[in-house]
Amino acid sequence: MLYDHIILKYGEISLKQKNRKEFIFQLHRNVKKLLKAFTNLEIKSSRDWITITLNGEDPEEIIPICQRIFGIQNISVAMKVSNDVESIKEAALFALKEAEDVKTFKISVRRANKKFPHRSPEMNQILGAHLLSNTDGFKVDVHHPDLELKVNIREDHTFITSKQYPGAGGLPVGSSGSTLLQLSGGIDSPVAGYLAMSRGLRIEAIHFHSPPYTSDGAKQKVLDLARKLAEYGHDINIHIVPFTAMQQKIHREIPFGYSMTVMRRMMLRISEIVASKRGILSIATGESLGQVASQTLESMHAINAVTSYPVIRPLITTDKNEIIEIAKKIDTYPISIRPFDDCCTVFVPRSPKTKPKKDKVEYYENQLDLTKELDELLANIEVVQVSSSAQAKDTLDELF
């Protein structure tokens, strides 16, 4: 006997009605893409789950990848046998003997095939008696078993599973459209990207780079963060904006208290331009309410006024410690704490306005002509595509 299949059970997709097929199709595509290195796999979708036939591939290598795919509730390693009682008994016995650290077990039979001669309660008894009479030291515990053997009798075969792993939940990446993530290199924005992807959003990233005030180390940090996020869905385009000249002019000509607000408004304007060119309909940020001066309600109101695009803020009510915990879970934290400044930490005024007045911001902006800097900046955006497994690919200048 052999565990020769993996079953990916849907999460929230199961609640969908008429458009369920579209979500399943997207999930199927994501699974195929992330498992493309395993060339022997056969992947098939049905209304309730995705079945992966291993054909000799190692499930221990495949399961951790499946756990990063949004849209999957749980993952089971399964044996597939014929709808024959003796075959099912043999597989169940193998599963029990093969399990480690097990003293108690429970059998759960689900009979989707109503033509199968034994009803579910009857099969529970048949299999339970078979296991107890052919082993020593095991007991049945229907409430808190060490091992639950699940027997799913389908139309033309039966799956027996005893090993289940949690999935990532959420919705398949790409099923909710796209967003442009402002990726700074800190702890928050990659977590925001991860949470946006968990709701089905495909992401591209925009990063504001200010050499020589920010280093190549800061830029590499962002590429590494994007590569880590790519493990959860797809290759990611990073739009690297040369922000130095504009940031210097804002710092030089805007009163200190308002320079941070004006800088953020320009970042949002530039993000909207990039998003529009890419056909992206929203912008995502790592803002958390009250965390810094630019993340008060007054600041966000003044900054948000420059765009009509939806600004998605997955972390807006999240505690900093919770954000750090997620960052550690998704393994972006060690990258985010590398000691390289990003453009948001240089030219920071000593006393930024925490309650900026929108009319004052607009007044100061009207005194400032940034047309030349904006044109040069847009003409020199560098676009890099990263994947989870490969080094940064060729620069995609053709995107602009």
Side-chain angles (χ1 to χ4, degrees), residues 199-298:
R199 297 309 303 162
L201 283 167
R202 185 179 179 88
I203 64 170
E204 296 197 17
I206 185 168
H207 175 68
F208 294 87
H209 188 47
S210 294
Y213 305 103
T214 59
S215 65
D216 287 343
K219 182 178 173 182
Q220 185 60 47
K221 188 164 75 163
V222 168
L223 297 178
D224 291 343
L225 287 169
R227 188 169 294 112
K228 187 61 67 174
L229 290 177
E231 293 180 1
Y232 294 88
H234 58 87
D235 297 348
I236 294 176
N237 291 334
I238 308 169
H239 305 262
I240 300 173
V241 178
F243 199 49
T244 309
M246 181 172 286
Q247 194 170 16
Q248 284 176 319
K249 191 164 185 177
I250 292 171
H251 177 70
R252 191 169 55 244
E253 299 190 22
I254 295 290
F256 284 163
Y258 278 87
S259 62
M260 180 270 297
T261 307
V262 172
M263 183 186 76
R264 293 284 185 180
R265 281 162 63 97
M266 287 310 302
M267 287 178 167
L268 198 51
R269 287 188 179 100
I270 295 164
S271 297
E272 181 180 308
I273 292 169
V274 172
S276 176
K277 286 184 176 180
R278 297 291 297 144
I280 295 171
L281 300 180
S282 68
I283 297 164
T285 76
E287 291 167 304
S288 175
L289 187 60
Q291 187 171 174
V292 294
S294 65
Q295 296 173 16
T296 64
L297 276 183
E298 291 82 358

Side-chain angles (χ1 to χ4, degrees), residues 357-369:
K357 305 292 186 187
K358 187 161 73 73
D359 56 347
K360 276 195 172 182
V361 179
E362 291 170 347
Y363 170 78
Y364 291 132
E365 281 185 346
N366 289 335
Q367 313 305 309
L368 187 66
D369 185 4

Side-chain angles (χ1 to χ4, degrees), residues 111-150:
R111 192 186 61 144
N113 179 0
K114 301 307 179 189
K115 295 180 181 177
F116 190 78
H118 303 286
R119 299 171 68 88
S120 297
E122 188 180 354
M123 275 301 289
N124 278 330
Q125 293 179 2
I126 291 172
L127 293 175
H130 180 71
L131 298 188
L132 290 173
S133 62
N134 286 278
T135 56
D136 293 320
F138 292 107
K139 293 182 179 178
V140 174
D141 183 344
V142 297
H143 299 294
H144 304 289
D146 297 328
L147 178 73
E148 182 176 5
L149 283 172
K150 294 184 178 180

Side-chain angles (χ1 to χ4, degrees), residues 14 54 83 103 110 133 171 220 232 318 324-325 354 366 396 398:
S14 301
L54 292 171
N83 282 353
K103 293 182 179 178
R110 184 172 181 268
S133 62
L171 295 172
Q220 185 60 47
Y232 294 88
T318 308
I324 291 174
E325 285 304 308
T354 56
N366 289 335
L396 304 179
E398 66 272 18

Side-chain angles (χ1 to χ4, degrees), residues 21-77:
K21 284 185 179 178
E22 298 171 20
F23 286 89
I24 293 174
F25 177 75
Q26 183 64 51
L27 178 58
H28 184 105
R29 195 160 58 176
N30 294 349
V31 170
K32 283 189 69 174
K33 185 169 185 177
L34 287 172
L35 296 179
K36 64 183 178 184
F38 303 90
T39 54
N40 293 324
L41 299 181
E42 292 179 54
I43 302 171
K44 294 182 179 178
S45 302
S46 67
R47 180 177 173 80
D48 300 317
W49 57 45
I50 288 176
T51 305
I52 300 174
T53 306
L54 292 171
N55 290 324
E57 300 281 8
D58 184 359
E60 297 299 323
E61 295 182 12
I62 295 169
I63 288 168
I65 299 173
C66 292
Q67 287 185 294
R68 295 196 296 266
I69 301 174
F70 293 114
I72 297 170
Q73 188 66 31
N74 59 59
I75 302 153
S76 299
V77 183

